[in-house]
Amino acid sequence: MSDFIVNFCFDVLEDSRLPVVVGTTLVGVLTLYVGHKVYTRQQFKRKVRRKNEERQKTLQDVLRSLLTDDKEVETKRKEIISLTLPQLSQQLKDGQLSAVQVLQAYQEKAFAVHDDINCVTEPIPDALVRAEELDRAGQRSGLLYGVPVSIKDNINIKGMANTLGLVKYLENYAEEDSVIVRVLMKQGAVPFVKTNVPQAMMDLTFFNSISCSNPLFGTTLNPHDHTRSPGGSSSGEGALIGGGGSILGIGNDIAGSIRIPAHFCGICGFKPTANRLSKQGYLNCSPGQQGVIGTCGPMARDVDSLVLVMKALLVPDMFQLDPLVPPIPFRHEIYESKKPLKIGYILDWELQLATPAITRAVEITKEALEKAGHETIQDYVREFLDAWEEADIDVLLCPATPIPAFKVEGVSALSETTLYTFIFNLLNFPAGVVPVTKVTEEDDRLLDDYIGSNNDIFDRYVRQATKGAVGMPVAVQCVALPWQEEACLRLMKEVETVFKL
């Protein structure tokens, strides 16, 4: 519309048949229009500057509260950061650690990671108050008692803005916590920071490939290589956890938004079946969308942590707060089964062939699972639901994406690489990723011979973007049928176990 106004005014001005007064009036209209645009842009810039000044002040206030010369406190904080989530949770419940001790250890680490890669949008203001209340209560109840949790920008925290990285949402303050945050808090968790996302959370599929940048909070970098993407759109979560600044995070996923950053940043991420967890209380970049439904899910360092979170969330509180969530508690008998699995596997999709590091990751995982006593079905590539039944498989093993974390600068969009994750959003299958290896010198050398599906310009972009990724993490993706989250998590645990032996 703005282009139409400007072009119309110039067309009129060029028409010498019109009276001078009309032309003068149009010049005035055009001047007012341009002036309004400039004024609006300046207002936006002022809002962004003011927001970042407030953000920086809040960060500095928290950092000042963490300052200490006590060597024992410093040593204890390092010990806390090194614990797994189950270990941390147990020490909190036993009273060996206080909620305040754990919170402050992770605040200090999170802000150190943030200084390096810009992954935190804001500290959650009442985190310390909540931790102190938990310590005073002394009941130490809940599966996540005293555990700090990072929260993706678009998930409601009462009184905080859900921005999606957009200036228009800078004052979009949530009136109440999202259901998933409320349940986490009922289980004793302490939400402590919100994390960055791509602008409108759309980089994942449409713009600048799978990266993270927005005009409010800037660009988030990969914790393992600052020249490479952390994935998207749960970018800040993946980067913060991958850098050691959070032990548990909550993201959401509509085309790979949990799994891709988990893969790129070397952590575990899990996307449940849509509506297995509540999606009430998070801002969607495309409200009203039907067909492919986004879902919240956990991100953490290991599978045990994901399982603990799912157990904590699949409880009556969740089902009562959101009647749309089916009342299916976590089914321990499926997850803890010792029966050998029948696992279908895929090395890559014909539409976009995977790079050498990715196919190698699936191959070595398949071989390790076979040695552990599981059965694998060669190249499962037929129509999904019919083929799943025909092959009589329990779960599926496949690449997370066809590429490892790619270089942010100097490459064009790589949106087709999300097909490996998006297919399971479309099918509404639960899926998660587990890191199993890293890119080797040989993987990088073989990339020189990679021709992809068509050896076209897109395949050349893939080579260009992924070249030189030696040492970057590589994950595999585990998939199960709808509502079989426990089976998917079991495969993820089996994968993690065979690579820890």
Side-chain angles (χ1 to χ4, degrees):
M1 184 65 182
S2 60
D3 289 341
F4 170 79
I5 293 172
V6 173
N7 291 333
F8 174 76
C9 288
F10 278 117
D11 287 344
V12 170
L13 289 172
E14 288 176 357
D15 192 336
S16 59
R17 293 170 296 176
L18 288 173
V20 173
V21 67
V22 175
T24 303
T25 301
L26 288 174
V27 168
V29 170
L30 182 58
T31 302
L32 286 172
Y33 172 77
V34 172
H36 175 71
K37 293 288 285 186
V38 171
Y39 174 77
T40 301
R41 187 168 299 170
Q42 289 174 341
Q43 288 289 91
F44 282 170
K45 287 181 178 179
R46 277 194 287 270
K47 283 186 177 181
V48 171
R49 184 170 60 252
R50 187 163 55 247
K51 178 65 176 179
N52 277 288
E53 287 171 354
E54 293 171 358
R55 174 196 187 202
Q56 192 61 31
K57 181 180 182 303
T58 305
L59 285 167
Q60 291 302 319
D61 288 345
V62 176
L63 282 170
R64 275 192 291 272
S65 73
L66 299 173
L67 291 175
T68 180
D69 293 326
D70 191 325
K71 298 299 181 185
E72 289 186 9
V73 170
E74 292 178 358
T75 300
K76 195 64 177 178
R77 286 177 180 175
K78 290 178 182 177
E79 290 176 0
I80 289 170
I81 296 299
S82 70
L83 297 173
T84 65
L85 178 55
Q87 290 170 336
L88 180 68
S89 180
Q90 191 60 54
Q91 290 195 24
L92 280 160
K93 288 181 181 177
D94 292 345
Q96 299 176 55
L97 294 172
S98 71
V100 169
Q101 279 181 302
V102 174
L103 171 65
Q104 291 180 333
Y106 269 98
Q107 284 177 325
E108 182 179 70
K109 181 63 176 178
F111 298 149
V113 172
H114 168 73
D115 282 346
D116 199 34
I117 58 175
N118 189 44
C119 51
V120 172
T121 58
E122 295 179 88
I124 294 175
D126 61 353
L128 180 59
V129 172
R130 173 159 176 77
E132 290 172 339
E133 289 174 348
L134 288 171
D135 286 336
R136 281 196 299 270
Q139 295 179 341
R140 300 186 182 273
S141 60
L143 289 177
L144 297 172
Y145 172 83
V147 174
V149 183
S150 49
I151 306 292
K152 186 176 178 179
D153 170 88
N154 72 315
I155 298 173
N156 280 6
I157 297 286
K158 185 177 180 180
M160 298 188 75
N162 287 354
T163 69
L164 304 186
L166 296 169
V167 177
K168 68 176 291 187
Y169 290 142
L170 199 53
E171 297 172 349
N172 181 41
Y173 300 111
E175 296 182 359
E176 62 179 3
D177 294 325
S178 65
V179 166
I180 202 165
V181 168
R182 290 160 71 184
V183 176
L184 287 170
M185 293 176 68
K186 283 177 177 289
Q187 290 282 18
V190 182
F192 78 113
V193 290
K194 295 196 83 174
T195 54
N196 204 21
V197 296
Q199 186 175 10
M201 302 199 304
M202 299 294 280
D203 275 11
L204 173 63
T205 310
F206 301 108
F207 307 113
N208 194 25
S209 193
I210 319 155
S211 59
C212 179
S213 184
N214 66 69
L216 290 183
F217 303 117
T219 300
T220 297
L221 308 174
N222 190 297
H224 304 289
D225 181 342
H226 296 179
T227 69
R228 293 181 181 269
S229 168
S233 64
S234 303
S235 317
E237 284 300 320
L240 181 63
I241 299 168
S246 176
I247 197 167
L248 168 64
I250 302 295
N252 40 48
D253 190 310
I254 199 169
S257 293
I258 288 173
R259 289 160 290 158
I260 293 172
H263 165 50
F264 281 11
C265 296
I267 65 171
C268 296
F270 183 62
K271 177 203 80 72
T273 309
N275 289 329
R276 183 78 196 265
L277 297 179
S278 175
K279 60 186 181 67
Q280 183 178 318
Y282 73 81
L283 183 61
N284 193 333
C285 55
S286 51
Q289 176 181 325
Q290 299 294 316
V292 180
I293 305 172
T295 180
C296 283
M299 303 171 74
R301 299 174 192 167
D302 53 53
V303 178
D304 285 341
S305 301
L306 302 180
V307 171
L308 182 60
V309 176
M310 292 300 291
K311 289 178 180 178
L313 292 173
L314 295 174
V315 293
D317 284 326
M318 171 77 72
F319 312 141
Q320 291 164 11
L321 287 168
D322 188 348
L324 296 179
V325 176
I328 308 172
F330 190 88
R331 293 164 294 189
H332 297 264
E333 69 279 6
I334 298 176
Y335 176 71
E336 295 169 1
S337 172
K338 302 302 180 185
K339 180 182 177 182
L341 291 167
K342 198 169 185 180
I343 305 166
Y345 74 95
I346 297 172
L347 291 179
D348 51 25
W349 305 110
E350 290 183 9
L351 184 61
Q352 177 54 56
L353 297 182
T355 53
I358 307 301
T359 53
R360 181 179 60 82
V362 177
E363 287 173 338
I364 63 174
T365 304
K366 177 191 83 74
E367 292 167 3
L369 289 168
E370 288 173 343
K371 288 180 182 178
H374 302 288
E375 180 183 355
T376 58
I377 307 299
Q378 181 68 37
D379 288 336
Y380 171 77
V381 292
R382 295 158 292 176
E383 293 294 325
F384 271 88
L385 285 172
D386 290 343
W388 198 294
E389 293 181 4
E390 183 181 337
D392 189 30
I393 63 172
D394 302 309
V395 282
L396 175 67
L397 176 71
C398 63
T401 71
I403 58 174
F406 60 86
K407 288 177 282 194
V408 174
E409 298 295 332
V411 296
S412 298
L414 300 174
S415 57
E416 285 185 30
T417 59
T418 63
L419 294 173
Y420 282 60
T421 50
F422 181 68
I423 181 65
F424 301 116
N425 295 89
L426 183 64
L427 294 169
N428 199 21
F429 286 14
V433 301
V434 183
V436 297
T437 187
K438 294 181 179 179
V439 179
T440 65
E441 295 280 358
E442 178 64 7
D443 293 329
D444 201 50
R445 187 193 66 76
L446 291 172
L447 192 60
D448 293 334
D449 302 323
Y450 172 84
I451 61 172
S453 299
N454 304 297
N455 199 24
D456 57 12
I457 190 170
F458 182 84
D459 292 317
R460 292 195 290 276
Y461 285 150
V462 168
R463 280 199 303 273
Q464 176 189 350
T466 56
K467 188 67 177 169
V470 175
M472 295 302 291
V474 180
V476 293
Q477 185 171 202
C478 303
V479 186
L481 289 171
W483 309 107
Q484 296 296 316
E485 279 72 19
E486 298 84 355
C488 184
L489 287 162
R490 186 194 165 194
L491 175 58
M492 293 172 70
K493 182 60 180 177
E494 295 286 351
V495 169
E496 184 180 69
T497 301
V498 296
F499 282 102
K500 285 184 176 179
L501 294 176

